[in-house]
Amino acid sequence: MCPYTEDDELPRSRTEYQHWLQDAPDQKALVRQYCRYVGEFRTGSTLKKTVARALQFATSDPKGPVYLAGAREVMAEAYGPIGPSALSQSAVKKIAEALLNAKLPLIITGYSGRNHACPAELVKLADIIPGLQVSDTGGCDMCFPASHPAYLGFRLSFDKSATEADVIFVLDCEVPWIPSRNLPRDYYLTTSELAKEIFADEESAKRHKVVAKKYQQRMESIAKLATPPADGSLDIHYVGAALKSAAPRDTIFVVEAATCAMP
């Protein structure tokens, strides 16, 4: 985009004749209908987030073009170095130690199952981290097996677990929570010793038992919902349970009811 200042208010203000004649203040409008995402750099402080958001759209299925625009003043701002695209070893260690130190660690995912290797790795992580639970907000990919005790089920971003957790790891999820309904409490990451030095075997086993008990209680509550109504009528819980029991185990259920989602 052409510079938007003309009296040298910022570095790289308008300096050329063409900056007035060829100014297109809304470049995004020219390509918006043909792109998955369009954005604009309004300040250098949001450059990293804007580019990351555009790349997320460009590389996520269904993949498509993205378009970013920015005025010359923004491009002339001084930027500090950014880290590599992959997580650094120090970042991985910080995340791992935060999860290990947490009393109620939580992973919120939505589309990680698109990588078919991810569910198995999440299971390994849930088996290692004492007390870890996994919440699915996507529902369109199998991100974590429902048969695992750490599974919290599928909810469209408003599960109360987000408000209870003291450390949350968001994995490939667009809307992990809704601020007006289940905003997480404040927390920060700290570094400490490795897992084997943090938990005694007894404490680790205790946390796994707590998660297993919660899972069992949840399964029992779901089973009660599927009980046939006393008046002989049919409800969605009973019909759904009947269909699940009658269908083969490898049946794929397709649900298109996002606009009818209930709390």
Side-chain angles (χ1 to χ4, degrees), residues 34-251:
Y34 309 101
C35 294
R36 286 209 64 206
Y37 176 83
V38 295
E40 179 180 341
F41 304 119
R42 297 182 181 273
T43 172
S45 61
T46 61
L47 178 63
K48 182 179 179 180
K49 292 181 179 179
T50 304
V51 173
R53 184 63 170 164
L55 289 174
Q56 184 182 38
F57 274 98
T59 58
S60 299
D61 294 326
K63 299 178 177 65
V66 297
Y67 185 86
L68 297 176
R72 192 167 70 165
E73 291 91 337
V74 178
M75 306 301 179
E77 289 187 32
Y79 306 117
I82 61 175
S85 57
L87 286 175
S88 63
Q89 288 296 320
S90 60
V92 172
K93 182 179 179 182
K94 192 173 185 178
I95 293 172
E97 291 182 341
L99 290 173
L100 286 166
N101 282 316
K103 294 182 179 179
L104 294 172
L106 173 67
I107 291 180
I108 301 179
T109 186
Y111 305 105
S112 60
R114 291 178 178 177
N115 181 341
H116 294 174
C118 191
E121 296 302 319
L122 274 183
V123 168
K124 293 179 183 178
L125 190 62
D127 290 339
I128 294 174
I129 305 294
L132 179 66
Q133 293 182 291
V134 181
S135 176
D136 183 6
T137 66
C140 58
D141 301 279
M142 203 294 287
C143 300
F144 195 80
S147 58
H148 195 284
Y151 185 62
L152 287 176
F154 163 64
R155 299 296 296 274
L156 286 174
S157 308
F158 43 73
D159 191 83
K160 67 176 183 178
S161 60
T163 64
E164 299 171 346
D166 52 352
V167 170
I168 299 175
F169 178 36
V170 179
L171 178 63
D172 201 357
C173 177
E174 294 175 336
V175 186
W177 54 77
I178 299 175
S180 63
R181 301 185 65 175
N182 59 335
L183 183 67
R185 53 181 170 172
D186 293 335
Y187 68 94
Y188 59 92
L189 304 183
T190 60
T191 56
S192 61
E193 300 177 359
L194 297 177
K196 62 181 181 181
E197 298 173 342
I198 295 175
F199 296 109
D201 291 339
E202 182 179 353
E203 176 65 18
S204 178
K206 180 180 178 181
R207 294 194 180 188
H208 281 300
K209 287 181 179 179
V210 170
V211 170
K213 183 178 180 180
K214 289 181 178 179
Y215 176 79
Q216 183 61 34
Q217 291 173 343
R218 182 172 173 273
M219 292 297 102
E220 292 174 355
S221 65
I222 292 176
K224 290 180 180 179
L225 291 174
T227 303
D231 59 3
S233 62
L234 299 178
D235 61 21
I236 187 62
H237 303 293
Y238 175 66
V239 173
L243 288 174
K244 182 180 179 181
S245 62
R249 290 182 59 84
D250 58 352
T251 300

